[in-house]
Amino acid sequence: AADEALFLLLHNEMVAGLYRAAEQGEGENGRCTTKLESMGFRVGQGLIERFTKDTARFKDELDIMKFICKDFWTTVFKKQIDNLRTNHQGIYVLQDNKFRLLTQMSVGKQYLEHAPKYLAFTCGLIRGGLSNLGIKSIVTAEVSSMPACK
Amino acid sequence: SRELFVLTYGALVAQLCKDYEKDEDVNTCLDRMGYGIGVRLIDDFLARSAVKKCRSYSETADMIAQVAFKMYLGITPSVSCSSATGNEFSLILDKNPLVDFVEELPAERASLCYCNLLCGVIRGALEMVHLAAEVTFLQDRLKGDAVTEIGITFLRKAEDRKHKRN
């Protein structure tokens, strides 16, 4: 649990630091999200590398998505994804009702606009993990009411 | 797992190296971010460890090495006092999980203090308990030194809460 606290603080400081630098003219805001997403991508790849050395090969795409929702999510966020939906045509929606990176933030509507900054890294994380499992993807996130997100 | 933290830290350093040409700028950035983490981490630390207030710099240095480092990074640096005045300490890191996946610094990054975040964290945390300190890397295995050594210099006398006037 102590390392979870450390990771949370590092993540939040990274978000704050990048946006701070952007404000001081060292790049536009849009790039911050891209940077966070690429960092997440690298980490996702690295995690999967270390992860799946022992696990058996997956049967299909759905199997991989279940792995992401259960094992992967638990390793990273100490809980599973609460809800997985799919149209069986390549689109999956993962719902986390108490997303760890948002639970520390206040629930008020005024913080909603900042929430996406805290999701960029995680989107990259998923995309990186899937990439190392042989799946190319586009990962986006939305927050309608904190701390839940899809 | 700690891997997530270590991997994320690595990605952060890599990104900062892309953003800043000079090593000193990356180092400063890491230190600043570390500070931001440290001022918040201290609450987490105090909540988890429920330790009593340290009564001397020496106790504080021991606390950092034996309790805090152990709790967050799983290592226990050795502590030694490096001055007669009793306010300078050095922590020798035998192992360092932050560099688990780093073999050596790239040639063009010879002055990079890869783990500089740690200095900021310690400094920020100490400040929150009213101890001003300078924290820097004195030696760094990644730069070819024999060991990795963090120096902590306490700058002011620790406040004695009992006698504090409002």
Side-chain angles (χ1 to χ4, degrees):
Chain A
D3 10 290
E4 207 198 344
L6 200 50
F7 170 71
L8 273 176
L9 286 174
L10 177 64
H11 176 267
N12 291 353
E13 195 57 40
M14 272 165 36
V15 176
L18 276 178
Y19 279 89
R20 201 165 40 218
E23 263 167 49
Q24 284 156 17
E26 286 157 46
E28 313 123 23
N29 262 4
R31 292 218 208 109
C32 292
T33 322
T34 312
K35 286 181 189 176
L36 286 164
E37 212 268 354
S38 350
M39 284 194 262
F41 185 82
R42 274 178 78 128
V43 178
Q45 285 185 311
L47 278 178
I48 288 290
E49 239 178 66
R50 254 148 270 291
F51 219 126
T52 53
K53 279 195 184 130
D54 313 315
T55 43
R57 282 284 185 79
F58 302 99
K59 287 184 301 182
D60 55 21
E61 201 176 78
L62 184 58
D63 222 28
I64 293 181
M65 290 314 297
K66 286 185 186 169
F67 166 78
I68 297 282
C69 294
K70 292 196 197 147
D71 303 59
F72 187 72
W73 214 253
T74 304
T75 299
V76 181
F77 298 112
K78 308 290 189 285
K79 66 181 283 289
Q80 295 187 9
I81 282 284
D82 296 303
N83 194 345
L84 171 68
R85 294 202 309 275
T86 177
N87 66 352
H88 296 289
Q89 282 172 16
I91 299 190
Y92 298 86
V93 180
L94 286 63
Q95 184 160 328
D96 187 327
N97 293 327
K98 264 182 108 179
F99 186 52
R100 281 279 200 269
L101 298 180
L102 291 178
T103 49
Q104 303 279 311
M105 292 172 73
S106 306
V107 187
K109 281 252 150 80
Q110 69 269 40
Y111 294 98
L112 217 53
E113 64 167 289
H114 295 290
K117 299 178 188 172
Y118 292 87
L119 296 172
F121 181 84
T122 304
C123 286
L125 202 67
I126 298 172
R127 190 169 65 88
L130 288 175
S131 161
N132 258 30
L133 289 171
I135 297 186
K136 274 183 86 172
S137 62
I138 298 174
V139 184
T140 57
E142 67 177 57
V143 184
S144 43
S145 67
M146 310 260 255
C149 68
K150 297 187 198 173
Chain B
S1 78
R2 197 160 288 128
E3 260 175 24
L4 175 62
F5 178 76
V6 173
L7 285 171
T8 304
Y9 187 71
L12 171 66
V13 178
Q15 182 63 52
L16 290 177
C17 285
K18 273 195 215 146
D19 290 343
Y20 299 101
E21 245 183 71
K22 295 202 223 147
D23 293 347
E24 301 87 74
D25 291 337
V26 180
N27 295 341
T28 304
C29 213
L30 286 172
D31 182 78
R32 201 187 307 144
M33 290 182 118
Y35 179 83
I37 293 174
V39 300
R40 293 170 180 81
L41 191 67
I42 184 71
D43 283 338
D44 184 83
F45 173 71
L46 293 174
R48 276 181 219 281
S49 60
V51 292
K52 293 212 181 102
K53 181 178 158 74
C54 293
R55 290 160 304 173
S56 68
Y57 292 140
S58 174
E59 258 185 53
T60 309
D62 283 343
M63 183 73 66
I64 295 173
Q66 288 156 16
V67 187
F69 264 89
K70 180 97 177 99
M71 184 182 290
Y72 293 107
L73 293 176
I75 51 172
T76 319
S78 58
V79 188
S80 58
C81 183
S82 50
S83 76
T85 46
N87 68 327
E88 280 173 36
F89 295 84
S90 101
L91 272 58
I92 306 261
L93 277 66
D94 189 39
K95 279 190 303 178
N96 184 357
L98 279 187
V99 305
D100 268 353
F101 309 132
V102 182
E103 278 173 22
E104 54 181 19
L105 293 177
E108 65 273 12
R109 288 287 176 190
S111 308
L112 181 67
C113 275
Y114 186 85
C115 300
N116 222 30
L117 193 97
L118 294 180
C119 294
V121 174
I122 296 174
R123 197 178 71 213
L126 286 174
E127 198 174 292
M128 287 297 110
V129 291
H130 306 289
L131 288 173
E134 265 166 22
V135 189
T136 52
F137 273 92
L138 298 173
Q139 294 191 76
D140 193 344
R141 268 223 190 98
L142 279 182
K143 292 183 183 166
D145 295 320
V147 293
T148 297
E149 182 184 354
I150 297 179
I152 304 179
T153 303
F154 293 96
L155 300 176
R156 278 200 310 259
K157 272 182 85 168
E159 275 184 28
D160 186 338
R161 295 264 173 95
K162 273 198 210 146
H163 300 302
K164 185 176 178 177
R165 302 257 182 277
N166 276 338

